[in-house]
Amino acid sequence: MTIWYAVMALGGMGLALGLLLALASRLFAAEPDQRLEALGGVLPGVNCGGCGYAGCGMFAAALAAGEASVDGCPVGGADLTEKLCAILGVEMKKNTRLTVLVRCSGGARARDKFQYEGIGDCHASIRIGGGPKECPYGCIGLGSCVRACPFGAISVVDGVAVIDHERCTGCQACVGSCPKRIIVPVPYYADVNIACSSHDKGGTLRKVCDIGCLGCRICEKVCIHKAIYIEDNLAAIDFEKCTGCGDCAEKCPRKLIVDAKLDRGPRLMEG
Amino acid sequence: MNEDFAEAAEPREPVSGVTEPASEPSGEPVPDEPVTGSGPDGAPPKPPYKKLPDLKGVMMRTGPFLNAAGKGLRAAVRVTAAVLRVIWRILCAIGRFLHRVFRKDSIPNLILVLALLTAVTAAGLGVIYTVTGPQIEAARAEAFDAAMGEVFPGLELAFVKSSFGENVYEGRDADGNLAGFSILVSPDGYSGPIGMIVGVDLRREVTGVTVVSQRETRGFDAKGTMQNGFLEQFAGKNGPFALGNGIDAISGATISSEAVTQGVNDALALLDREIQP
Amino acid sequence: MTQTMRQFKNGLVDQNPTLVLLLGMCPTLAVSTSLTNAVGMGLAATAVLICSNVVISALRKLIPDKIRIAAFVVVIAGFVTAVDYLLQAFAPALSDSLGMFIPLIVVNCIILARAEAFASKNGVVRSAIDGLAMGMGFTMALIFVAAVRELLSAGTLFEFTILPDAFPKIDIMGQPPGGFIVLGVVIAVMQAVRNRSKAKNAAGL
């Protein structure tokens, strides 16, 4: 008998409260943006703040309001960007996903000014006469960026830092960690890239590095889309115009230009 | 040779007994169409021959009846099927209606789900309580008896509220005999009431005193002087008790000691009042 | 690493409810004065967590969104009450010493948070495993804090005297300020462990 009392008492309360909630949901009904739920569903929900908003809910609201960019979530990656584009009805642009590139191919191919033996950190080494490399623009290769990457996407190969573009989420934590500021964000889908930051004239550069950009303008002349140009002795690419045809990469005398998708990295010297 | 041949070629008499029945050895010819005219004078065969059931007659007689029955059965089946179909349609309609009313976010569904959830939870808890309830009661009673019985060291008593007032509990042993009383008192101590239990046996002697709660000062009785010294002094004595008169106070805690002594006296007075009105 | 192993690593380290997500602080501080209490509370909460995760996961398609929270609380309260009855019946000493913190398991953030974030979106088996993993993480955190607090404030572990009498008993460890301090230190240690493993992963490439 006590069970019946319990059932009726609690069941009655449930009934009453259900009614209350139902009425409240009608009275205080707000028309939420239908997309918010869908957006919330695909966002990772960890509220890490990497997008710059206070949580995934806020990011979704900003997306729906058109204030945030679809590639703002560093955790989700390209897959997430695709889903967000689908929900928002936005076309996914080719340069939407970002990754980073170390603008240097030197490393073992760049001359050393002196032999450095000290704290194994790029910031520490540049205190001593600007660092052990002759080229003032180049990668020192002691790995400050390696340690800054929370996803383990950077490693030092042959004295120069190299990005694993599959692990890279575009969070750009490494960008600030490089004392030479040669890690830059680039579109993930870019087919061509210049992996050099040196503004030295050709003659000087030949003395300090075997692979750096001389500013010889051959690529500029070869490109039919006018997508590559020399600025201050250094080649640069306009990604809006670049079609990835690879002509510049073929004609570059230094074999510097990365002529394939980023993840193949700069070409290693043969022999 | 020719004669032999002609003789041999002459048709012989047909071998009779083509219809010779197998039962010949028993001596009783089977009453088939007697080809051999086994009857003594051509009349139909007479018994005793085994009379088979008249299947044909049975079938002739029961045939129409079975027909009718069969038709009736089929009709019955058809009717039942039709009725069942109607019932099924009604159920489906009800189901569709319910499905429409109790959609995922509709008001009736909200109420139903919550009410159902709470009712089921209540039922479940009710069941669990019927199972654990007795055990909980038993555990509580045991704990209670142990607490009350602290003042009767060495005895195992069960305590019930006595008729002598709220704070007096009767302690009975395993045979149900009254062994003594546990009395709850709360005299005012130095900084608040001191909760105590005083045990009194049937000879009106104190069997033990224990302090259940006190707020005297921080760390008061950290050394347990009360339990191992002060309170023991009351055991085995009749009272009334007074400090300095057989009871030594705890050094540095005169007021608390006074309060406890007063508590024991109060307990005995309470008992006196109730038992001998 | 199988998904199950990942879930356990999640519950114990990566997203330890007490030390990383900082949920369920109130009962943690309150019951970690004694190791027996800590283990008792941890196990009770784990039992409730697993059961409520399973039920909520099983009913996730039937519970309308608008009464989600009320429904979760009803389920959780049901299981907490059941656990309360069982403790009162079969472990009355523990029930007394945990006191009102057993009913407070209903509003323990860990249980409601996992119900909302995991059980209402995943299958029954996965939810059960998540409940177990999170519960173990909670219990582990409680044990760490309680071990330190009981040892320093009373010199005992599980009420067995461990430290010699000469060792001073740091009273404050048994009180709220000490609780906060010890909890803070344990959280810091956990953070260091997680950072080291992250760095090891990165450097290992």
Side-chain angles (χ1 to χ4, degrees):
Chain A
M1 198 56 209
T2 17
I3 301 189
W4 281 117
Y5 286 148
V7 170
M8 295 212 289
L10 225 57
M13 277 206 295
L15 202 95
L17 290 171
L19 191 61
L20 183 68
L21 284 174
L23 289 176
S25 76
R26 286 282 182 274
L27 276 173
F28 302 120
E31 263 309 312
D33 190 338
Q34 297 294 67
R35 299 175 299 174
L36 281 182
E37 209 184 306
L39 289 171
V42 295
L43 289 173
V46 286
N47 295 325
C48 68
C51 50
Y53 292 91
C56 299
M58 306 290 289
F59 182 53
L63 279 174
E67 288 164 359
S69 145
V70 275
D71 56 358
C73 175
V75 180
D79 293 328
L80 179 65
T81 309
E82 264 182 75
K83 291 188 195 141
L84 292 176
C85 282
I87 296 173
L88 294 168
V90 168
E91 222 191 271
M92 188 154 142
K93 298 196 287 272
K94 260 191 81 181
N95 60 351
T96 293
R97 174 177 172 181
L98 288 182
T99 179
V100 289
L101 178 71
V102 177
R103 279 255 160 90
C104 179
S105 317
R109 284 167 284 185
R111 310 254 175 284
D112 283 334
K113 240 190 306 199
F114 52 83
Q115 188 181 349
Y116 173 77
E117 268 173 53
I119 303 175
D121 184 77
C122 306
H123 289 269
S125 70
I126 63 170
R127 298 271 184 272
I128 308 185
K133 291 284 178 205
E134 283 269 16
C135 173
Y137 307 93
C139 169
I140 298 171
L142 286 172
S144 297
C145 50
V146 176
R147 287 182 283 275
C149 176
F151 301 98
I154 315 184
S155 48
V156 173
V157 175
D158 272 345
V160 65
V162 170
I163 311 277
D164 178 351
H165 296 289
E166 294 315 307
R167 279 196 199 231
C168 173
T169 65
C171 74
Q172 299 182 26
C174 52
V175 172
S177 70
C178 175
K180 299 277 186 184
R181 295 280 182 268
I182 56 173
I183 305 187
V184 293
V186 295
Y188 177 81
Y189 294 106
D191 294 320
V192 184
N193 257 293
I194 311 290
C196 178
S197 312
S198 168
H199 294 281
D200 280 343
K201 284 211 180 58
T204 328
L205 198 137
R206 251 187 257 265
K207 292 192 202 125
V208 302
C209 179
D210 290 337
I211 195 169
C213 173
L214 303 170
C216 65
R217 294 187 187 269
I218 290 182
C219 50
E220 202 180 39
K221 294 187 187 113
V222 165
C223 180
I224 52 177
H225 302 103
K226 301 222 189 318
I228 190 168
Y229 54 95
I230 302 294
E231 197 176 10
D232 203 12
N233 294 309
L234 179 62
I237 297 185
D238 181 350
F239 291 109
E240 298 290 320
K241 301 199 183 120
C242 175
T243 61
C245 64
D247 283 347
C248 52
E250 250 187 81
K251 296 292 192 242
C252 175
R254 305 279 272 177
K255 301 274 181 280
L256 169 69
I257 301 180
V258 179
D259 68 348
K261 267 197 69 140
L262 275 174
D263 50 6
R264 293 228 208 119
R267 269 216 263 148
L268 296 173
M269 201 155 61
E270 254 82 297
Chain B
M1 202 165 57
N2 276 349
E3 287 171 27
D4 294 328
F5 181 75
E7 220 180 62
E10 262 181 66
R12 290 193 215 121
E13 280 181 26
V15 177
S16 67
V18 163
T19 53
E20 204 98 308
S23 59
E24 188 63 274
S26 65
E28 291 174 322
V30 172
D32 223 336
E33 282 311 321
V35 183
T36 50
S38 42
D41 43 36
K46 283 206 312 244
Y49 50 79
K50 198 161 190 196
K51 192 169 185 152
L52 280 180
D54 182 15
L55 283 176
K56 192 168 174 195
V58 166
M59 282 168 64
M60 299 283 291
R61 279 193 296 275
T62 62
F65 176 64
L66 284 176
N67 262 350
K71 286 205 187 98
L73 206 63
R74 274 196 290 275
V77 168
R78 267 198 293 270
V79 167
T80 325
V83 168
L84 284 176
R85 260 198 290 273
V86 169
I87 294 181
W88 180 246
R89 286 234 180 84
I90 295 179
L91 284 177
C92 280
I94 295 179
R96 268 197 299 271
F97 172 70
L98 286 178
H99 195 80
R100 240 180 32 136
V101 171
F102 291 104
R103 264 159 306 134
K104 189 92 195 290
D105 272 307
S106 65
I107 291 194
N109 197 34
L110 296 186
I111 302 176
L112 177 76
V113 170
L114 210 51
L116 218 61
L117 206 54
T118 46
V120 168
T121 306
L125 286 177
V127 168
I128 295 189
Y129 193 71
T130 46
V131 172
T132 59
Q135 178 62 29
I136 295 180
E137 283 310 310
R140 278 215 198 112
E142 214 181 297
F144 183 69
D145 287 340
M148 288 291 148
E150 255 186 71
V151 292
F152 288 92
L155 295 177
E156 286 222 9
L157 303 172
F159 286 86
V160 287
K161 253 216 176 93
S162 77
S163 42
F164 301 133
E166 255 191 26
N167 294 324
V168 182
Y169 290 84
E170 293 176 354
R172 292 178 184 277
D173 62 17
D175 301 318
N177 302 323
L178 184 64
F181 298 94
S182 282
I183 306 149
L184 306 176
V185 284
S186 310
D188 284 325
Y190 179 73
S191 49
I194 303 179
M196 298 165 45
I197 308 179
V198 179
V200 182
D201 65 11
L202 297 175
R203 291 176 304 193
R204 202 187 168 285
E205 273 176 16
V206 174
T207 56
V209 180
T210 156
V211 169
V212 175
S213 69
Q214 52 88 1
R215 288 206 294 262
E216 295 302 82
T217 47
R218 271 193 59 72
F220 176 67
D221 203 35
K223 295 208 185 76
T225 326
M226 290 217 115
Q227 222 63 34
N228 306 319
F230 179 67
L231 296 174
E232 291 173 341
Q233 300 174 92
F234 296 95
K237 298 196 190 123
N238 236 317
F241 300 95
L243 283 182
N245 193 2
I247 302 291
D248 295 327
I250 299 177
S251 62
T254 324
I255 299 185
S256 306
S257 314
E258 175 65 51
V260 173
T261 313
Q262 188 56 45
V264 181
N265 288 335
D266 287 343
L268 289 169
L270 187 67
L271 207 59
D272 289 335
R273 233 186 2 253
E274 298 296 335
I275 294 187
Q276 278 120 32
Chain C
M1 200 186 274
T2 67
Q3 194 182 358
T4 310
M5 276 172 68
R6 221 175 301 136
Q7 278 190 276
F8 274 103
K9 182 160 178 280
N10 216 28
L12 288 167
V13 180
D14 293 331
Q15 287 194 309
N16 184 304
T18 318
L19 303 178
V20 177
L21 301 181
L22 299 186
L23 298 174
M25 296 275 95
C26 174
T28 305
L29 290 167
V31 310
S32 56
T33 46
S34 127
L35 208 47
T36 357
N37 282 358
V39 173
M41 166 62 89
L43 293 178
T46 306
V48 173
L49 194 47
I50 297 177
C51 295
S52 72
N53 264 16
V54 164
V55 170
I56 289 175
S57 172
L59 297 178
R60 70 186 184 281
K61 300 225 163 68
L62 297 172
I63 300 180
D65 188 62
K66 294 189 168 50
I67 54 167
R68 208 178 63 238
I69 297 183
F72 292 168
V73 174
V74 167
V75 173
I76 297 174
F79 282 114
V80 171
T81 312
V83 167
D84 188 21
Y85 287 158
L86 290 171
L87 280 178
Q88 276 182 44
F90 300 111
L94 187 63
S95 170
D96 278 339
S97 84
L98 287 176
M100 75 173 148
F101 286 97
I102 297 182
L104 280 182
I105 298 178
V106 179
V107 291
N108 188 326
C109 288
I110 299 174
I111 305 185
L112 201 57
R114 289 327 280 177
E116 169 85 23
F118 196 92
S120 62
K121 299 185 182 135
N122 288 277
V124 174
V125 178
R126 288 281 144 232
S127 300
I129 297 178
D130 179 78
L132 182 60
M134 289 287 157
M136 279 170 62
F138 177 55
T139 312
M140 187 184 81
L142 280 181
I143 290 180
F144 287 161
V145 177
V148 173
R149 287 182 78 188
E150 191 181 341
L151 205 57
L152 292 181
S153 67
T156 64
L157 282 182
F158 288 116
E159 274 100 52
F160 289 117
T161 316
I162 306 273
L163 295 178
D165 273 341
F167 202 90
K169 295 187 178 22
I170 310 175
D171 269 343
I172 199 175
M173 283 296 154
Q175 282 154 19
F180 277 102
I181 294 173
V182 175
L183 183 60
V185 170
V186 176
I187 293 177
V189 168
M190 172 62 92
Q191 199 61 4
V193 166
R194 285 173 68 227
N195 284 349
R196 203 157 48 94
S197 89
K198 238 196 273 182
K200 242 200 288 184
N201 275 342
L205 290 171

